[in-house]
Amino acid sequence: DQQVKQNSPSLSVQEGRISILNCDYTNSMFDYFLWYKKYPAEGPTFLISISSIKDKNEDGRFTVFLNKSAKHLSLHIVPSQPGDSAVYFCAASADNRGSTLGRLYFGRGTQLTVWP
Amino acid sequence: EPEVTQTPSHQVTQMGQEVILRCVPISNHLYFYWYRQILGQKVEFLVSFYNNEISEKSEIFDDQFSVERPDGSNFTLKIRSTKLEDSAMYFCASIFRSSYNSPLHFGNGTRLTVT
């Protein structure tokens, strides 16, 4: 099952710079996309989402961009902080004619390290 | 902020034994889920549960798995006869309502080790 792919297992960025995490998907039925952050020994924590009717959503230092034609989304974190060091998961969902949102398809995650 | 609580944090069991993983979803949430993550692999959907019945289940969720909401607060995942390949982190999640404005809230997980 490779419907959501995060091809970079790790990313290292200096504090204050921009972090760009990428995600690709193959299922054209996906219409809702989320980013989750995960620290060791904790569950995934919701970060930001975007609906397929938009191409950008911003929340503070976090911005998600969606390119539907390329089936690609990215998460930008600017400026990056050491506390942002975590595993970032991209996830996607398809609207099953109004049935329960909850079946998310996750990527393998990207380990972000922000160094001082 | 309300949390999804999972117990135990780590469960070790022998192959063939039954195991029950417990979750207390956020109190006013109505939709409940189990996901799992085998070490080094993706987080995978297992099952969703609403109104005391399964809404959707994945191909992983076979007859060895069952879920139950035995009272107003607990949500459990039972594995009847564990296999080595069931070793994974199991995450419970919940949402208040099924809408795109309600992202899943995950618990911290139970690490299941089958020996």
Side-chain angles (χ1 to χ4, degrees):
Chain A
D1 177 5
Q2 291 289 312
Q3 297 194 61
V4 178
K5 291 184 259 193
Q6 292 177 258
N7 291 321
S8 298
S10 63
L11 175 68
S12 183
V13 170
Q14 188 176 23
E15 181 179 8
R17 301 227 177 220
I18 186 170
S19 295
I20 300 176
L21 297 107
N22 293 303
C23 178
D24 297 292
Y25 62 96
T26 56
N27 188 340
S28 57
M29 297 300 292
F30 287 150
D31 59 356
Y32 186 58
F33 305 89
L34 309 91
W35 285 93
Y36 279 83
K37 181 169 74 170
K38 185 180 180 304
Y39 294 115
E42 293 185 12
T45 302
F46 170 73
L47 197 56
I48 192 168
S49 63
I50 188 166
S51 163
S52 60
I53 62 173
K54 295 186 173 183
D55 54 20
K56 177 183 173 181
N57 189 25
E58 197 171 346
D59 183 2
R61 296 186 298 113
F62 303 92
T63 303
V64 56
F65 295 92
L66 176 63
N67 182 335
K68 289 188 290 293
S69 61
K71 293 191 177 68
H72 177 83
L73 64 155
S74 61
L75 174 68
H76 292 211
I77 306 173
V78 55
S80 302
Q81 299 173 354
D84 295 331
S85 297
V87 177
Y88 288 78
F89 290 101
C90 171
S93 180
D95 182 8
N96 294 312
R97 289 184 292 279
S99 67
T100 305
L101 173 68
R103 180 166 191 168
L104 298 179
Y105 294 84
F106 283 84
R108 286 186 182 271
T110 298
Q111 171 69 57
L112 173 66
T113 303
V114 181
W115 47 280
Chain B
E1 184 174 325
E3 292 182 341
V4 175
T5 306
Q6 291 186 243
T7 55
S9 57
H10 191 188
Q11 174 88 45
V12 182
T13 189
Q14 287 191 323
M15 192 169 54
Q17 295 296 305
E18 174 183 287
V19 66
I20 297 175
L21 309 182
R22 302 182 190 280
C23 170
V24 179
I26 295 173
S27 63
N28 64 342
H29 285 191
L30 301 176
Y31 297 80
F32 315 111
Y33 308 84
W34 284 101
Y35 281 76
R36 79 173 185 189
Q37 184 181 25
I38 295 171
L39 187 64
Q41 298 190 23
K42 296 184 178 187
V43 176
E44 301 173 291
F45 170 81
L46 292 179
V47 67
S48 60
F49 190 86
Y50 169 70
N51 200 25
N52 283 321
E53 59 184 26
I54 290 174
S55 306
E56 187 178 0
K57 59 184 180 180
S58 72
E59 52 284 352
I60 302 169
F61 194 90
D62 61 21
D63 291 345
Q64 293 300 309
F65 291 87
S66 63
V67 289
E68 193 177 34
R69 187 157 163 81
D71 53 42
S73 60
N74 291 286
F75 180 51
T76 61
L77 174 69
K78 182 193 291 185
I79 309 174
R80 288 190 183 82
S81 177
T82 51
K83 303 188 282 287
L84 294 176
E85 54 265 37
D86 293 326
S87 295
M89 281 292 291
Y90 287 81
F91 294 106
C92 175
S94 68
I95 54 174
F96 169 61
R97 63 171 184 266
S98 176
S99 82
Y100 287 156
N101 293 326
S102 300
L104 295 184
H105 295 259
F106 285 89
N108 285 338
T110 293
R111 178 172 299 283
L112 176 65
T113 302
V114 182
T115 61

